[in-house]
Amino acid sequence: MTDLLTPVLSANWGDEKSWDIAAYTASGGYAAIDKAFAMTPDEVTNLVKDAGLRGRGGAGFPTGMKWSFVPKDNPNPKYLVVNGDESEPGTCKDIPLLMASPHTLVEGMIIASYAIGCHTAFVYIRGEVLHVIRRMRHAVEQAYAAGHLGKNIHGSGYDLDIIVHAGAGAYICGEETALLDSLEGRRGQPRLRPPFPAVAGLYASPTVINNVESIASVPCIVANGAAWFSSMGTEKSKGMTIYSLSGHVARPGQFEAPLGITLRELLDLSGGIRAGHELKFWTPGGSSTPILTGEHLDVPLDYEGMASVGSMLGTKALQIFDETVSVVRTTLRWVEFYKHESCGKCTPCREGSWWLVQLLKKFEDGVAEEGDVDKLLDVCDNIGGKSFCALADGAVACVTSAVRHFRPEFEAGYHTPAYELFPYGRSALFEVAEGSHA
Amino acid sequence: MSVITKPGEAVAPVDTITVTIDGIEVQVPKGTLAIRAAEMIGIAIPRFCDHPLLDPVGACRQCLVEVPDMGNGRGMPKPQASCTLECAPGMKISTQVTSPAAAKAQEGMLEFLLVNHPLDCPICDKGGECPLQNQALSNGRGESRYEGVKRTFPKPVPISAEILLDRERCILCARCTRFSEQISGDPFIALVERGALQQVGKYADDPYNSYFSGNVIQICPVGALTSVSYRFQSRPFDLISTDSTCEHCAGGCSLRVDHRHFQVKRRLAGVNPEVNEEWNCDKGRFAFVSGRGEDRITRPLVRRDGVLKVASWPEAIDAAVAGLQAAGNSVGVLTGGRLTVENAYGYAKFARAVLGTNHIDFRSRPLSAEETGFLTSQIAGRTLGEGVTYGDLETAKQVVLVCFEPEEETGAVFLRLRKAVRKKGLKVTTIAPYASNGSAKLNATLVATAPGDEAAALAGIELDGDTVVLVGERAATAPGVLTAVVTATAKAGARYAWVPRRAGDRGAIEAGCLPTLLPGGRTVADSAARVDVAAAWGVDSLPAEPGLDAAAILEAAADGELAALVVAGLEPKDFANAVATREALEAAGFVISLENRLSEVTERADVVFPVALIEEHAGTFLNWEHRAGVVNTVIKQANNPMTDLRVLAALADALGKPLGVRTVAQAAAELAELGAWEGARPASADAAKAKPAKVKAGSYRLATWREMLDGGRGMDYEEALAATAKPAVARVSPTVATAAGLAEGDLVTVTTAAGSFSLPLEVAADMVDGTVWVPTNAPGMSLGEYGVLAGDAVQLDRGGVA
């Protein structure tokens, strides 16, 4: 069964002090840099294109193609910005990766920066995860000391500086243009596009923004070749990736496997749903991706497979909920998150999330009125696709998908509180006082 | 927004594209936003954050439309904000008119906007003229489905002494914050916090003190921003609006003046794309109550036994006539810079045709013979088509500021320059002692220059055909500058404009309120011009002897050489020497004052005639471009006070030499009929020799200008406005500060030959050495009192005046 796993990024996570440069170098780390330097920048970009690497941050945009959008004739400096603002409920892949092997990212950044002609690269890390920021900073210091960063790296004549930037704890700063504003020292709110970051991003200069995992996947492609990488995965979703299982599974954690693995296979690997319970619903890639149910157990977890069932691969954060869980309560908690994280720039997200929380609370308390489900859906319709950025789309996706799959449970909110239908203590993985609604 | 071109100007060919909106094809210039393209065919898409003069932001999402075809056969999957959507060739757009999806999206957005809005329209200043209220009714659902709890905030909170913020009403469109950042360059307000708790905030305890802050009230699409002065004063539908032109400076901003119960309640920036676009300054907006104090004069006053007493009109006219008859033509006429063209024309004609003198001058400020020559030969008779315009400031590549601080002296010029700097890459160079705040906001290159050295500094700047030089009225105190501007621009093929400070200055020149000038740019020295005017006026001849300028008139009066003075609205402290001016008024045998408030002139007058406030009469102001701005009567009462013109006509009648005009319309018609002088124009006057001030060791050269919000009487009784003024300071360079052992914030004493005054010190890093800058007319501190001008030597010492 475990041969379904393809540990590449996570291969060294179990090593002694895997985060230290000594361990990373001992396992072959930083060798891909020289291989890349032996190629022209365009050859590196083409290699990544040929490998079929797609963005691991959720949207799945081809990484090599993104790099090739950087205009060559622009006189401004070019920048690489790595998005490590991992904040979505359920998503937990970049933070473990950076904890276990920050040098993988550093190496990937060197290669990516070389490919796009950038000499200053930034990593923007979510502000709350101080330990990860420290570890990343330490890794960058080590890389400088070892001559992997700075001037004339490995005698190639290529210079690169990496700056590790700590965010201030805003989900919106994971949106790439808000991230740029935040990185520039402004308040993080999404920017109007066009101009796109590839043309006028950080400091109005050409900028490539990639997810941590996307960039961390670059060294292995350079080391092993495009064919090796694309031998994994499915036709349009190549390579391996990290699936993060959480919730009601026996052994939650990170599972690195080729794209296209199914939840059924992942559940087998993780010991299945916790003992004595059965799957009720799950998210394929964080709370912004529409929820799925037991009938989707065999759908390939790749970009196309998830789209075919009206969801998205997202960040491959599989949150698993068993039959003890109230979908109304879960949805409310998610929407509370979006309300709290809405940046406030645009009306539908700001006001809509404020309204949705109050509406959903009525369902949870069993005091919703006849017709409120339709009202809920209509409010979602007035939000979805009408906001400035995708944050609000994510906020309504969990609501509309929950109603699609579990409408009767919402209708029960016309008369019965969710905590009576699904006593909350039963879904907890720890002891909860009887009658607690939290 | 309409596209306005200057009359006679060829319309530049524009690349146009064709788009289809709701099935109607329309040709629009490339780069046009969908929301504007829709306006062109009469389709109003509801909007809040969108403002044609602000950068698009796409925040409120109210203007969503469907795009079934982007011009490439493919549609956009989601509705698009038409305020950020650039039209593409062949694009098809469906607005709420034809697209149920767009209509639903807009309905939904309005419902969202009202989720956290207090709906306190019945007590809101904006109710009745509120875009949120209007569009909720025109494009929203009849009823809200929201039953939840609204977000609440303590309210209102002051963001400045003048402006209050109601955060509950705010819909977070960011118009005010974008205005403050993009238009005026004073980003002292910003959106803070997030989600529904997002709000407009200011930095810590620092208020939003901007000369243009009032505009944010006007562009607020809800009642979130209100002014202290207008708050709860009226409902919009009870107000009567009158278009007018601002009387505070030579910018010529259009105004909308709203009144109720025969009292002006508020003033708004009028829409005038060629002049002020849609903005005005806080002085123009808020300073309109100075005529409401107890010092308002409503009846004539006549001095009897040394005391001014209320008199009847016949009594006052008799007294004035007796005084004038005794004086003969030994009379000086000082008109000040605040008159409409028609009133100024009344004085010019009264002086020549009735009194028989050329002793008339509008300049109630420091002046020079060089300036008189410059105004006579270069400025008088220039028409709008000939001179520089606001539009020219936008198309110029370089603007050089000489003795001119646009933000302080002509706000609308500042805003237009800033727009050109932001949008068109205009380069601004300023010849000034240091880079003021305003210069910094224009990203101006400073040519650090001590007062008196401006002409030399100008010689060092490269001018070309795309350069405009703006020279301020302060050049009168800088010998050689006006001549240098004329010759340098002529040589380089550059253009220049003279920007006076007061609204009536430019009109006074055209009306003939200079000793050298008759109406229409005709010179007194030209006998043909005199005959021309005499014929038009039906008089035998006009005085040919050269007249005295204002300074000479005062000197002559003080020396007893002039028997009488006729004085319009002016303040002695504005003259180069306030003390000497008062003494001259006292020494003059007979003084007639035409005023609307008691003043230092009326105190010294023998006869005082009450005249109308700006809102009580009609007329015309000519702005610095020589563009006519119409002043309309706002308060229409049968017993409105008379205009200066009407009073002068009555005096002329009583003197037996009728003025020939008594109404504003008659004066305007006569001046128009007289027309501009088509004969020869005088050659330019000789340059005054620049004489660098002799400054002894330990002395400093004085640099100064008037700040927009200062000690002027026009701002009286508007305390909230005054509270937003800049504090008066003395500025020196770091070198001077170090040499004198002074530090920022120290109280320093500036000593002149006529006395001392104290101000806190500010150190300006780029200040030219050997110079100290102080404001010309701060509240309670006017340089006129000390008789010092820019360039004069002063002492600087630590500590306050004992």
Side-chain angles (χ1 to χ4, degrees):
Chain A
M1 182 64 71
T2 50
D3 55 2
L4 283 173
L5 293 176
T6 50
V8 178
L9 297 174
S10 57
N12 62 337
W13 289 10
D15 294 354
E16 180 73 15
K17 289 183 77 176
S18 64
W19 59 86
D20 194 75
I21 194 163
Y24 184 68
T25 313
S27 63
Y30 286 113
I33 301 180
D34 292 319
K35 221 171 155 185
F37 286 165
M39 303 159 75
T40 65
D42 282 348
E43 284 168 352
V44 177
T45 302
N46 287 333
L47 177 71
V48 173
K49 264 190 200 170
D50 293 344
L53 175 62
R54 293 172 67 174
R56 301 293 193 239
F61 193 84
T63 304
M65 200 187 290
K66 204 178 216 178
W67 294 1
S68 63
F69 287 160
V70 173
K72 298 245 186 308
D73 53 354
N74 192 311
N76 288 356
K78 282 129 189 107
Y79 295 112
L80 171 72
V81 176
V82 175
N83 185 346
D85 190 51
E86 186 172 70
S87 314
E88 173 131 326
T91 301
C92 53
K93 65 189 180 65
D94 297 338
I95 284 168
L97 191 157
L98 292 177
M99 277 301 280
S101 187
H103 286 284
T104 311
L105 179 66
V106 174
E107 188 175 9
M109 287 177 74
I110 297 167
I111 298 169
S113 299
Y114 173 73
I116 62 167
C118 135
H119 298 286
T120 311
F122 297 83
V123 197
Y124 184 102
I125 303 178
R126 176 181 179 186
E128 293 99 323
V129 288
L130 198 58
H131 48 315
V132 178
I133 296 164
R134 284 195 190 123
R135 188 153 283 183
M136 188 65 201
R137 289 210 166 123
H138 182 61
V140 168
E141 276 168 30
Q142 285 188 323
Y144 269 107
H148 303 316
L149 289 175
K151 300 281 176 209
N152 191 18
I153 299 167
H154 292 198
S156 64
Y158 175 70
D159 307 333
L160 177 67
D161 287 310
I162 289 183
I163 294 161
V164 181
H165 182 93
Y171 173 64
I172 189 61
C173 291
E175 196 282 335
E176 61 179 17
T177 58
L179 185 153
L180 294 179
D181 262 17
S182 173
L183 194 52
E184 287 181 9
R186 299 160 198 273
R187 200 160 150 261
Q189 285 200 333
R191 295 179 180 175
L192 202 59
R193 276 173 289 201
F196 290 92
V199 178
L202 188 65
Y203 306 117
S205 301
T207 304
V208 168
I209 306 161
N210 282 132
N211 175 254
V212 166
E213 190 190 341
S214 310
I215 294 295
S217 300
V218 170
C220 68
I221 294 174
V222 172
N224 304 315
W228 165 82
F229 186 81
S230 58
S231 71
M232 290 178 278
T234 59
E235 190 195 340
K236 288 182 177 164
S237 305
K238 308 282 193 199
M240 74 295 154
T241 192
I242 298 172
Y243 293 93
S244 317
L245 265 71
S246 62
H248 293 139
V249 284
R251 289 194 306 278
Q254 311 297 329
F255 296 83
E256 192 173 2
L259 281 162
I261 194 172
T262 64
L263 178 61
R264 188 182 300 282
E265 290 166 323
L266 283 171
L267 282 176
D268 287 347
L269 288 167
S270 59
I273 303 295
R274 64 173 174 160
H277 294 277
E278 61 190 49
L279 176 67
K280 181 174 177 185
F281 63 97
W282 55 287
T283 69
S287 57
S288 295
T289 53
I291 64 166
L292 297 172
T293 63
E295 62 179 293
H296 307 107
L297 271 172
D298 296 312
V299 182
L301 285 165
D302 60 8
Y303 300 105
E304 293 69 34
M306 287 299 101
S308 73
V309 290
S311 189
M312 291 181 292
L313 184 61
T315 55
K316 304 142 293 153
L318 300 119
Q319 288 179 284
I320 312 295
F321 299 87
D322 68 20
E323 84 292 343
T324 62
V325 179
S326 159
V327 72
V328 171
R329 176 200 187 198
T330 309
T331 312
L332 170 60
R333 294 297 177 272
W334 277 330
V335 174
E336 280 174 339
F337 169 82
Y338 290 107
K339 174 198 161 198
H340 183 254
E341 294 296 340
S342 168
C343 80
K345 179 165 186 159
C346 76
T347 308
C349 179
R350 179 184 72 231
E351 308 296 340
S353 60
W354 174 278
W355 188 356
L356 281 181
V357 164
Q358 298 197 36
L359 260 179
L360 284 165
K361 187 82 180 85
K362 285 172 71 183
F363 284 99
E364 185 187 35
D365 291 342
V367 296
E369 287 155 52
E370 200 77 36
D372 274 359
V373 175
D374 291 327
K375 180 160 139 185
L376 184 67
L377 290 176
D378 192 62
V379 171
C380 286
D381 180 59
N382 287 346
I383 301 171
K386 297 170 179 73
S387 53
F388 191 91
C389 77
L391 190 150
D393 294 339
V396 295
C398 58
V399 182
T400 51
S401 59
V403 175
R404 183 160 66 242
H405 297 301
F406 299 98
R407 189 174 178 114
E409 213 176 289
F410 280 85
E411 283 167 348
Y414 294 162
H415 42 73
T416 313
Y419 38 79
E420 283 179 16
L421 293 171
F422 300 90
Y424 291 171
R426 288 187 202 160
S427 58
L429 296 170
F430 45 87
E431 282 303 312
V432 174
E434 193 59 35
S436 167
H437 300 166
Chain B
M1 193 185 66
S2 51
V3 180
I4 307 264
T5 47
K6 234 194 319 182
E9 189 184 0
V11 181
V14 198
D15 282 349
T16 59
I17 53 174
T18 305
V19 294
T20 307
I21 302 173
D22 293 333
I24 301 167
E25 272 196 10
V26 57
Q27 290 224 326
V28 297
K30 236 176 125 189
T32 301
L33 296 170
I35 197 167
R36 299 280 170 267
E39 284 169 14
M40 288 178 193
I41 52 169
I43 296 170
I45 301 171
R47 83 287 303 264
F48 294 103
C49 67
D50 172 72
H51 191 287
L53 298 177
L54 302 175
D55 293 348
V57 62
C60 77
R61 316 305 288 173
Q62 184 56 54
C63 64
L64 294 177
V65 294
E66 273 202 300
V67 183
D69 185 347
M70 290 188 273
N72 55 7
R74 284 183 299 158
M76 297 231 189
K78 297 175 178 179
Q80 297 294 309
S82 57
C83 70
T84 58
L85 178 69
E86 253 187 40
C87 290
M91 187 180 259
K92 289 191 172 63
I93 297 163
S94 303
T95 74
Q96 73 279 6
V97 177
T98 55
S99 159
K104 178 174 188 292
Q106 294 177 7
E107 266 185 22
M109 222 50 70
L110 272 161
E111 193 179 25
F112 285 142
L113 284 169
L114 298 179
V115 159
N116 275 315
H117 187 81
L119 296 171
D120 57 347
C121 311
I123 56 145
C124 176
D125 279 355
K126 204 81 174 187
E129 58 175 11
C130 174
L132 179 60
Q133 194 179 41
N134 293 347
Q135 295 181 130
L137 293 170
S138 63
N139 298 76
R141 308 167 58 96
E143 276 175 58
S144 172
R145 295 171 294 171
Y146 182 67
E147 297 158 338
V149 178
K150 284 178 194 275
R151 163 210 65 183
T152 53
F153 286 119
K155 64 179 189 177
V157 289
I159 58 171
S160 74
E162 185 69 73
I163 302 177
L164 298 167
L165 167 67
D166 182 323
R167 291 171 291 176
E168 292 177 354
R169 291 177 186 158
C170 178
I171 56 163
L172 302 163
C173 68
R175 276 188 182 187
C176 56
T177 54
R178 281 181 293 147
F179 172 87
S180 68
E181 187 190 342
Q182 296 167 12
I183 306 299
S184 69
D186 306 313
F188 309 142
I189 47 173
L191 289 169
V192 298
E193 301 294 336
R194 66 189 189 194
L197 298 181
Q198 192 182 222
Q199 54 193 272
V200 174
K202 61 184 174 63
Y203 180 73
D205 296 324
D206 293 340
Y208 173 44
N209 284 351
S210 160
Y211 284 161
F212 306 97
S213 64
N215 290 295
V216 302
I217 300 171
Q218 192 171 342
I219 58 174
C220 179
V222 296
L225 294 166
T226 52
S227 74
V228 169
S229 61
Y230 173 70
R231 194 174 160 81
F232 300 134
Q233 286 287 305
S234 182
R235 308 312 311 270
F237 33 81
D238 289 330
L239 291 169
I240 300 164
S241 299
T242 310
D243 288 334
S244 197
T245 301
C246 185
E247 78 283 15
H248 282 298
C249 84
C253 296
S254 292
L255 285 181
R256 189 183 115 191
V257 185
D258 289 352
H259 80 281
R260 185 188 183 202
H261 295 158
F262 301 107
Q263 194 179 59
V264 174
K265 290 296 178 192
R266 67 171 176 183
R267 307 209 305 187
L268 304 171
V271 178
N272 190 342
E274 291 169 297
V275 179
N276 56 306
E277 304 200 292
E278 302 184 22
W279 317 123
N280 73 344
C281 71
D282 285 1
K283 192 172 180 179
R285 183 178 299 268
F286 296 122
F288 58 83
V289 296
S290 63
R292 289 190 201 164
E294 297 199 339
D295 55 6
R296 177 78 199 269
I297 310 165
T298 53
R299 294 180 202 289
L301 306 170
V302 173
R303 193 168 297 276
R304 301 268 186 236
D305 306 323
V307 183
L308 274 185
K309 290 188 173 156
V310 171
S312 69
W313 277 92
E315 209 179 343
I317 288 173
D318 285 351
V321 165
L324 289 175
Q325 275 171 342
N329 68 352
S330 179
V331 185
V333 181
L334 299 171
T335 65
R338 305 212 170 278
L339 300 174
T340 58
V341 175
E342 293 79 359
N343 278 334
Y345 178 69
Y347 282 97
K349 189 172 181 186
F350 187 77
R352 271 63 179 241
V354 179
L355 299 175
T357 179
N358 282 317
H359 304 326
I360 179 167
D361 199 338
F362 71 93
R363 293 170 293 181
S364 55
R365 56 170 173 82
L367 55 84
S368 68
E370 182 187 12
E371 188 197 24
T372 309
F374 167 80
L375 296 179
T376 307
S377 64
Q378 306 299 324
I379 298 301
R382 264 207 210 185
T383 60
L384 177 60
E386 287 177 281
V388 175
T389 63
Y390 280 103
D392 294 337
L393 299 181
E394 274 192 58
T395 52
K397 298 269 195 305
Q398 182 184 219
V399 167
V400 180
L401 307 174
V402 186
C403 299
F404 181 47
E405 284 294 326
E407 194 190 21
E408 303 290 355
E409 297 174 303
T410 320
V413 171
F414 168 77
L415 293 182
R416 193 60 78 96
L417 287 174
R418 191 173 144 76
K419 179 185 180 191
V421 168
R422 268 191 91 237
K423 299 273 186 189
K424 311 257 172 93
L426 170 70
K427 186 178 169 307
V428 176
T429 305
T430 180
I431 298 177
Y434 74 100
S436 62
N437 252 334
S439 295
K441 286 183 270 186
L442 295 175
N443 203 15
T445 307
L446 171 71
V447 180
T449 308
D453 298 344
E454 290 91 347
L458 182 64
I461 296 173
E462 202 169 311
L463 311 176
D464 60 22
D466 291 321
T467 300
V468 169
V469 176
L470 293 180
V471 58
E473 69 173 30
R474 286 185 282 120
T477 62
V481 168
L482 290 167
T483 315
V485 167
V486 175
T487 51
T489 50
K491 198 172 146 201
R495 303 204 289 157
Y496 75 90
W498 176 71
V499 188
R501 232 176 45 82
R502 292 200 168 130
D505 284 350
R506 195 66 190 75
I509 296 170
E510 293 312 308
C513 293
L514 269 182
T516 50
L517 280 172
L518 297 169
R522 293 163 177 81
T523 58
V524 169
D526 187 333
S527 57
R530 286 202 308 278
V531 169
D532 188 39
V533 176
W537 285 351
V539 293
D540 296 338
S541 68
L542 293 177
E545 318 79 69
L548 302 174
D549 66 24
I553 288 171
L554 290 168
E555 219 169 289
D559 294 346
E561 289 164 19
L562 280 181
L565 293 176
V566 176
V567 186
L570 51 80
E571 294 296 319
K573 66 176 180 176
D574 290 341
F575 285 85
N577 191 326
V579 178
T581 304
R582 287 189 203 103
E583 283 168 5
L585 288 166
E586 284 155 16
F590 187 72
V591 176
I592 298 174
S593 168
L594 284 76
E595 252 294 9
N596 43 44
R597 295 168 66 193
L598 294 174
S599 73
E600 291 193 315
V601 177
T602 63
E603 270 173 33
R604 291 163 176 81
D606 297 284
V607 180
V608 179
F609 291 106
V611 291
L613 296 172
I614 190 71
E615 64 263 36
E616 292 165 338
H617 68 104
T620 311
F621 282 128
L622 290 181
N623 75 352
W624 66 275
E625 306 167 282
H626 196 151
R627 188 188 302 273
V630 175
V631 175
N632 283 311
T633 310
V634 176
I635 309 295
K636 294 184 178 108
Q637 289 192 93
N639 60 347
N640 266 358
M642 294 201 227
T643 59
D644 293 62
L645 175 69
R646 182 72 187 78
V647 174
L648 293 172
L651 282 178
D653 285 345
L655 284 162
K657 295 180 189 168
L659 195 59
V661 290
R662 62 178 63 210
T663 67
V664 169
Q666 285 168 347
E670 192 173 287
L671 188 56
E673 199 179 321
L674 205 49
W677 179 233
E678 285 162 3
R681 285 195 187 172
S684 31
D686 290 338
K689 286 270 173 1
K691 39 167 194 191
K694 290 187 191 104
V695 179
K696 280 182 266 172
S699 291
Y700 300 93
R701 269 198 260 183
L702 184 73
T704 182
W705 53 72
R706 286 171 189 272
E707 298 187 306
M708 180 193 284
L709 303 179
D710 64 0
R713 293 189 81 200
M715 285 171 52
D716 282 358
Y717 311 124
E718 189 48 64
E719 278 146 29
L721 174 65
T724 67
K726 294 174 184 168
V729 295
R731 277 193 190 88
V732 295
S733 70
T735 322
V736 168
T738 311
L742 296 167
E744 180 111 0
D746 284 354
L747 196 62
V748 296
T749 295
V750 178
T751 304
T752 72
S756 303
F757 54 88
S758 300
L759 292 169
L761 188 77
E762 205 171 275
V763 179
D766 53 5
M767 184 89 174
V768 65
D769 283 336
T771 301
V772 54
W773 182 93
V774 298
T776 307
N777 187 30
M781 196 292 288
S782 188
L783 288 185
E785 301 297 347
Y786 304 93
V788 286
L789 300 176
D792 286 352
V794 294
Q795 311 285 320
L796 187 65
D797 297 293
R798 178 201 285 276
V801 180

